[in-house]
Amino acid sequence: MFGESAQHREAAVLVPFVQRGEVLSVLFTRRSERLRNHAGQVSFPGGAVDAGDTGVVAAALRETREETGVAPSLVEPFGYLDRLDTISGFSVTPVAGFVRGDYELQLQADEVDEAFEVPLDFLLEPATLRREAIQWRGREREIYSCEWQGRRIWGATALMLKNLIDRLERSR
């Protein structure tokens, strides 16, 4: 569900696009298995907006640096996807940005187990992102998901991808 909610904590993620030769990819992280919330899930780097952040872009860049080691100087933000209220209580603003391809990962082991890139062309294939039903807190919910090399991208991250895909399709 998209929109703003007073009961959700403000958060931001970076939707990082990386150019490698002719291939444009999207960078994802897989959250640490040791985390209390969303352990092992694939996500975009990001988190809650802190009091010291000057806004969602600053928060997304700070969290990206903390989680992956990618310095803000290597990121060129260029836009936003729709704000998303998550079932875990966050109102997330996805910030789209180009990341220089020569970045070096320095993963924060307490939060991130791995980072990986997925070619945008793969994500844009019509059969890649699919709808499925899951049980959550005793009721059926419909979500989006996709698989990349044994990694499952689903939930809020997949919903952000759906928003990205819809926007790209409208711009054609």
Side-chain angles (χ1 to χ4, degrees):
M1 85 188 175
F2 294 104
E4 199 169 333
S5 172
Q7 296 148 338
H8 286 75
R9 184 167 179 204
E10 189 175 23
V13 297
L14 180 67
V15 181
F17 293 88
V18 181
Q19 188 78 45
R20 300 225 183 258
E22 298 296 313
V23 177
L24 185 61
S25 294
V26 180
L27 178 67
F28 293 90
T29 61
R30 187 173 51 80
R31 295 173 51 86
S32 171
E33 294 288 349
R34 297 174 298 283
L35 291 173
R36 189 174 35 153
N37 295 316
H38 308 291
Q41 291 183 8
V42 172
S43 64
F44 293 117
V49 175
D50 289 345
D53 293 326
T54 57
V56 293
V57 172
L61 294 176
R62 176 186 52 76
E63 286 282 347
T64 298
R65 185 192 76 252
E66 289 174 5
E67 293 177 10
T68 68
V70 174
S73 62
L74 299 178
V75 181
E76 182 182 332
F78 66 85
Y80 306 93
L81 297 177
D82 294 339
R83 183 183 298 252
L84 172 66
D85 287 349
T86 69
I87 58 177
S88 56
F90 288 94
S91 186
V92 182
T93 300
V95 177
F98 290 112
V99 176
R100 284 193 8 209
D102 61 348
Y103 71 85
E104 291 185 30
L105 291 174
Q106 296 175 9
L107 301 181
Q108 183 184 48
D110 291 343
E111 288 191 47
V112 178
D113 281 344
E114 75 170 321
F116 59 94
E117 294 179 24
V118 178
L120 182 61
D121 285 347
F122 171 80
L123 295 170
L124 294 176
E125 290 176 15
T128 297
L129 197 61
R130 61 193 177 281
R131 293 181 89 121
E132 66 179 83
I134 64 165
Q135 289 293 318
W136 192 78
R137 292 190 178 171
R139 69 177 246 224
E140 189 170 287
R141 299 184 68 92
E142 215 171 79
I143 64 164
Y144 287 94
S145 71
C146 67
E147 300 282 332
W148 171 256
Q149 297 182 342
R151 299 170 185 102
R152 185 169 187 249
I153 302 168
W154 67 285
T157 303
L159 195 52
M160 291 176 211
L161 282 177
K162 173 68 171 141
N163 181 231
L164 172 67
I165 292 164
D166 289 349
R167 284 175 172 231
L168 291 173
E169 286 177 353
R170 283 194 304 265
S171 69
R172 288 183 189 189

